[in-house]
DNA sequence: ACCTGAACACCGTTCAAGT
DNA sequence: ACCTGAACACCGTTCAAGT
């Protein structure tokens, strides 16, 4: 199908790596394609058969590189959570800003792949996740959180970020439904949440930030 | 199979409701059995075919009472979240204690059915969930949270509770894995979370409560 | 009104085999 | 070392039919 490369050297020094329409299968290619598929079709859209199709291979070929479907999920998830920190870790003095930045980045990474958030708490903690937790712990420690409170602090922030991101990623899909639901509230017996316009506020980023600030106020009061 | 009822009136005033070994199918029975199945086998264990088996009916009979599998999930979920508030709603003066009680009850309800937490944020908000949100909003309002902050306050608590419960429900299943994971931390490059014994602390209830207190401190500082 | 079986278009994975 | 097809034991749901 694809046109032959023009101007290729006629005397190959190394085996002519004819660019086949499909490069060789590899763990990396499988994971990358799985992420594509998940982004395009969601959690239920990932199928070993469809994955093999996209890769131009037989289904069972995947199983040479990967143990099973669970494996694919774990690998895809961790691959999406790699943390590229601030280019220079100059000796920051504002630990609180560091924490906020790290958690906003974490959330943003997951929202770029809406399937990832709901997967994360259910699966093993991959290396990229542990790195993020380590950085978070370090920042909190420097912010003055005592060692005895570190555990609670880390988990509290984890809980908040996970809950916020999973909810945001799910609700995102159905803006109309949300409006309809809010409509229903009006006529029924939920005056308080109707009044708060709970389902209508679209400033997710702002709400995330505000709630995070409240939590941080509780965890490590500003001097 | 079942022994005949003894002493049944011989002159039936209404059609003899012979108790068959399997009572008639109904939406209620389907939902109740779905919850049983989910409790026993987890999210992946619920299958229309298995559900029909347990009910002693053909698979397709279910579809008379229910639109599809999604429907079963939604119904099972909301059924598990019914809130039986405090027997007497005496005019409580301690709004903060009310909020804590409501959220601990919410979490406990979900942990009784470990599949429910991870399902909740992905599905529509059923009536029982809306009721809980309404009560929460009312309590926060009385606690002095301004109307403009109500939204953020409700969602922050929602996020925290959901994140905490989903995480707890998932990690619960694999105590050994957790120990193994913590072991791995030792030899590698995660000194801070290793030190915090992040994966070893088993006081989930206490951690939940402490983190919740921190968040509430931020949301509505005690006078 | 309520229930049914056959059939369709899918799944993940085992296995024995090919190169 | 890497890839494959056939086969197995499943899925959810449509449809046309039974009572």
């Amino acid at each position: 199908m694809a046109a032959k490369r023009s101007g290729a050297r006629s005397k190959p020094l190394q085996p002519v790596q004819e660019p086949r329409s499909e490069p060789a299968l590899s763990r990396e290619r499988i994971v990358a394609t799985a992420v594509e598929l998940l982004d395009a079709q969601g959690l239920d859209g990932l199928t070993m058969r469809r994955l093999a199709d996209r890769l131009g291979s037989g289904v069972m070929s995947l199983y040479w590189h990967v143990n099973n479907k669970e494996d694919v999920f774990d690998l895809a998830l961790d691959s999406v959570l790699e943390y590229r920190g601030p280019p220079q870790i100059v000796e920051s003095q504002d630990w609180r800003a560091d924490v906020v930045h790290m958690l906003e980045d974490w959330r943003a990474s997951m929202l770029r792949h809406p399937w990832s958030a709901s997967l994360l708490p259910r699966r093993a903690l991959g290396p990229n996740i542990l790195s993020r937790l380590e950085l978070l712990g370090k920042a909190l420690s420097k912010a003055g959180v005592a060692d005895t409170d570190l555990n609670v602090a880390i988990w509290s922030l984890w809980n908040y970020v996970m809950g916020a991101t999973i909810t945001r990623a799910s609700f995102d899909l159905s803006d109309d439904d949300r409006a309809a639901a809010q409509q229903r509230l009006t006529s029924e017996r939920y005056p308080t949440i109707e009044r708060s316009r709970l389902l209508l506020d679209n400033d997710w980023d702002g709400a995330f930030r505000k709630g995070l600030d409240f939590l941080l106020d509780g965890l490590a009061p500003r001097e």
Side-chain angles (χ1 to χ4, degrees), chain A:
Chain A
M1 294 287 189
K4 249 194 192 170
R5 277 267 178 81
S6 62
R9 232 167 263 169
S10 55
K11 211 210 288 170
L13 295 179
Q14 43 186 343
V16 210
Q17 188 70 353
E18 263 304 1
R20 321 249 314 83
S21 64
E22 303 295 348
L25 225 44
S26 72
R27 210 180 166 86
E28 288 72 34
R29 269 193 78 220
I30 292 177
V31 173
T33 308
V35 171
E36 277 176 38
L37 198 49
L38 284 163
D39 287 350
Q41 319 257 27
L43 271 184
D44 293 338
L46 180 62
T47 274
M48 295 305 270
R49 282 166 152 95
R50 276 208 271 255
L51 186 51
D53 262 13
R54 279 216 182 197
L55 289 161
S57 77
V59 199
M60 294 317 299
S61 312
L62 304 177
Y63 286 81
W64 177 262
H65 304 271
V66 132
N67 287 325
N68 47 36
K69 197 184 176 182
E70 304 255 290
D71 230 25
V72 179
F73 274 126
D74 285 340
L75 293 168
L77 180 59
D78 202 65
S79 91
V80 138
L81 287 170
E82 201 185 339
Y83 183 55
R84 298 171 192 78
Q88 306 273 48
I89 311 187
V90 278
E91 284 285 313
S92 168
Q93 295 303 323
D94 190 351
W95 318 119
R96 180 159 170 144
D98 288 352
V99 169
V100 170
H101 175 268
M102 283 170 39
L103 296 180
E104 285 187 326
D105 175 272
W106 197 338
R107 171 170 174 273
S109 294
M110 292 193 287
L111 287 181
R112 253 175 261 128
H113 308 276
W115 47 273
S116 63
S118 67
L119 211 51
L120 179 47
R122 286 187 281 161
R123 323 246 18 131
L125 302 176
N128 283 328
I129 299 159
L130 289 176
S131 294
R132 284 182 186 262
L133 285 172
E134 172 68 19
L135 279 173
L136 176 60
K138 215 172 285 182
L140 288 171
S141 218
K142 285 187 188 161
V145 175
D147 266 24
T148 47
D149 287 340
L150 203 49
N151 228 323
V152 172
I154 294 175
W155 280 125
S156 296
L157 290 166
W158 162 283
N159 291 338
Y160 179 80
V161 173
M162 291 306 139
T165 312
I166 291 170
T167 302
R168 206 265 128 101
S170 322
F171 275 56
D172 196 27
L173 306 175
S174 53
D175 259 353
D176 293 349
D177 294 354
R178 248 172 58 228
Q182 176 79 30
Q183 196 62 27
R184 256 191 300 127
L185 294 187
T186 312
S187 53
E188 312 216 7
R189 62 208 192 293
Y190 311 109
T192 312
I193 49 178
E194 201 273 323
R195 176 159 45 88
S196 81
R197 300 175 55 78
L198 189 66
L199 303 178
L200 288 179
D201 186 3
N202 269 313
D203 182 17
W204 293 90
D205 294 357
F208 176 80
R209 177 59 196 269
K210 275 187 214 158
L212 182 54
D213 273 331
F214 284 135
L215 182 51
L216 287 172
D217 285 343
L219 288 175
R222 317 176 199 240
E223 298 105 44

